[in-house]
Amino acid sequence: MRATLGLVVWLVTISQGAGKLCDGRREGAQCYGPLDGKIVLRLMDTAPFRYNWLKKAIILLRGRENTLLTKLPERFSFTPNSGTLKIENLKRNDSGNYTLQIFNKQGIGIENRTLQLFIQAPVTSVHLASKCQSQGVQPVSCSSKGGDSLQYRWSLNKKPLQDSDLLSGDVQANNITLKPYISGQLICFVRNDVSESQNEVTLSCVFINCTSNGTVISQWLPEMKKNLCDKPTPGDESPHSTNYLPLMGGILSALFILLMIGLAVVYKLKKKQSSVEDEEELTYADVRIVNQPRRSIKMREEVEVEYGQVKLSQQPRGTVAAKNDASIYAHVRKHR
């Protein structure tokens, strides 16, 4: 009956938000309490016949069954039926080792249990900052204004961040550098043993190349900064295309040079071939038009002269023939 009553009181205490509960009924238990907050320690199931609870050599609580034999400090309250001790307005010096001593009716100690209590400052707020650097690399820092023994955890697009997403750092560090072109919702979780908080940022780095109020902007910036441009230049929002432009320009230049060289070679070959054809035509004309006709005319003249001499030598009259002979011969000679 007493145990049942103690359990009910304990459950009611927890349901009313008495503070963070820590089970100290086992040897070597470790409990954590928030600075300036409160904590509930479960020291026993029910109050034994006689017990002491002390820090180092100082007895903080002494009782016999349901009766307290000492006055507790102002911030402490003990419920014998549930064996719970509540501490409010926790201080740094509340941290330390505590010992519970249990005695039987003969006053003989039958059990000693130790408990370690740690007081930590809770996480108050989380500040998350990201930058856009060359080639779309994004360093991100996560910090908290308060908190002891902080631990960090990251998620990207509602999934745990992987080491493969990082250029440097690790997924449990507060400063990381993301690889290029990673975008989406990045959340930083900051926690310790008494509290947890988080903050998020939307990642989206683009290369902006434009003018803003007469000033040229040519760098990697968050996508929201595109509004700074007076007149966006086509292609500014595509870092992949921008990266390929120098390569494409080089390829086109090389093709143009090769094309010009090819045209020059073809032109020279055609010019040389045309020169050879002109020389062949000129030689052929000399043979047909100049040399051959002269040879034909000479042969024809010689044939006619010989024929005339033979004809004239057959005249019947000697006197006339002699005269004619001389004139003809003279004429022929003169003609030749």
Side-chain angles (χ1 to χ4, degrees), residues 170-323:
D170 62 73
V171 294
Q172 295 182 347
N174 64 319
N175 294 319
I176 59 175
T177 301
L178 296 169
K179 290 182 177 180
Y181 312 120
I182 288 182
S183 61
Q185 183 187 44
L186 181 70
I187 302 178
C188 176
F189 299 89
V190 184
R191 68 175 300 274
N192 57 15
D193 294 289
V194 297
S195 63
E196 181 175 357
S197 186
Q198 68 184 61
N199 200 354
E200 64 183 61
V201 65
T202 300
L203 302 174
S204 181
C205 285
V206 295
F207 186 78
I208 297 179
N209 185 17
C210 65
T211 58
S212 176
N213 297 325
T215 303
V216 177
I217 299 176
S218 182
Q219 58 182 322
W220 289 84
L221 293 171
E223 188 174 9
M224 65 181 67
K225 296 293 183 68
K226 290 190 301 183
N227 298 329
L228 297 175
C229 296
D230 296 333
K231 186 178 181 181
T233 302
D236 288 346
E237 301 176 10
S238 179
H240 297 280
S241 299
T242 304
N243 289 340
Y244 289 125
L245 283 179
L247 178 60
M248 294 178 65
I251 293 174
L252 291 176
S253 299
L255 290 175
F256 178 76
I257 293 172
L258 291 175
L259 178 61
M260 295 303 295
I261 293 173
L263 291 176
V265 171
V266 171
Y267 175 77
K268 288 184 177 180
L269 290 175
K270 285 188 175 181
K271 186 175 181 181
K272 184 177 180 180
Q273 184 178 1
S274 176
S275 176
V276 171
E277 290 177 355
D278 290 343
E279 290 178 0
E280 291 177 353
E281 290 178 0
L282 181 60
T283 303
Y284 178 78
D286 288 343
V287 171
R288 290 187 60 187
I289 298 174
V290 179
N291 296 334
Q292 187 173 354
R294 288 180 180 177
R295 190 177 297 119
S296 300
I297 294 171
K298 185 176 180 180
M299 291 177 64
R300 197 162 46 240
E301 289 176 353
E302 291 177 354
V303 170
E304 288 178 358
V305 170
E306 290 176 0
Y307 178 76
Q309 290 175 353
V310 173
K311 184 177 181 179
L312 290 177
S313 63
Q314 295 176 1
Q315 293 295 330
R317 295 179 181 181
T319 307
V320 177
K323 292 180 181 180

Side-chain angles (χ1 to χ4, degrees), residues 20 32-37 92 119-128 142-153 174 188-199:
K20 182 176 180 180
Y32 297 86
L35 182 64
D36 298 325
R92 291 282 187 184
I119 307 302
Q120 292 182 346
V123 179
T124 54
S125 62
V126 175
H127 178 69
L128 195 58
C142 182
S143 60
S144 172
K145 291 183 178 179
D148 297 325
S149 303
L150 299 179
Q151 302 171 26
Y152 298 89
R153 181 170 58 88
N174 64 319
C188 176
F189 299 89
V190 184
R191 68 175 300 274
N192 57 15
D193 294 289
V194 297
S195 63
E196 181 175 357
S197 186
Q198 68 184 61
N199 200 354

Side-chain angles (χ1 to χ4, degrees), residues 81-94:
N81 291 334
S82 62
T84 57
L85 176 72
K86 182 173 70 173
I87 307 175
E88 298 180 295
N89 193 20
L90 291 166
K91 305 298 180 183
R92 291 282 187 184
N93 56 11
D94 289 330

